Amino acid sequence: MIPMLRQLLLALALTSSLPAASQAQWREPPRTMEAAPQRFTGCRAVDGDTLACRQGRVRLRGVDTPERGESGYRAAQRELDRRTRGGTVTVVPHHRDRYGRVVGDVHSRGGNVGRSMDADGYSKRRGARR
């Protein structure tokens, strides 16, 4: 009887802690790259927050758009493409993510693309802000 009660209490404790863990605030890694602006050319939107450029892939810092299959994915991808295609973007690197992409502030046509995408409602309502 006692082992079954112990298992029940453990399961209850684990279940009650799940919502808090899933809503935990994402923390940005420390800067590991020099903050010297770099020019990236030939960029196209892979999704709503990633660019594929001649110099490599770049992840927009400070925005997390819907993933493939989620509502809003295509709109975010098209908007990022519209804001960056056909010109040179300036990237201020911050760090590399687990996929090897440069994560940084992307500037195009005089503005911070990630911040403006976030301000215009292309970010997920909750989740990571990378």
Side-chain angles (χ1 to χ4, degrees):
M1 181 70 136
I2 298 241
M4 187 181 342
L5 182 60
R6 188 176 300 149
Q7 287 178 345
L8 180 63
L9 289 174
L10 180 61
L12 183 61
L14 289 174
T15 305
S16 66
S17 67
L18 286 177
S22 66
Q23 294 177 5
Q25 187 69 15
W26 181 84
R27 293 187 186 181
E28 182 174 58
R31 180 179 293 280
T32 57
M33 299 180 76
E34 184 180 343
Q38 300 174 14
R39 295 170 66 99
F40 281 66
T41 58
C43 299
R44 66 174 178 77
V46 174
D47 57 25
D49 51 33
T50 305
L51 294 170
C53 305
R54 288 187 184 111
Q55 295 80 0
R57 288 196 177 215
V58 179
R59 173 75 161 74
L60 276 65
R61 182 172 166 242
V63 65
D64 187 25
T65 61
E67 306 302 325
R68 185 180 305 270
E70 294 179 350
S71 177
Y73 168 81
R74 291 291 298 154
Q77 181 187 32
R78 280 191 297 260
E79 185 61 21
L80 178 59
D81 199 56
R82 186 189 72 75
R83 293 179 189 216
T84 58
R85 186 175 288 271
T88 300
V89 298
T90 302
V91 178
V92 180
H94 188 271
H95 66 277
R96 286 195 182 270
D97 67 7
R98 63 182 174 196
Y99 304 109
R101 300 176 294 190
V102 171
V103 178
D105 296 309
V106 176
H107 299 270
S108 178
R109 300 178 182 99
N112 184 313
V113 177
R115 282 189 189 158
S116 64
M117 294 269 300
D118 188 41
D120 291 345
Y122 290 98
S123 286
K124 294 179 185 178
R125 291 186 182 191
R126 292 185 178 198
R129 293 276 196 245
R130 295 181 175 93

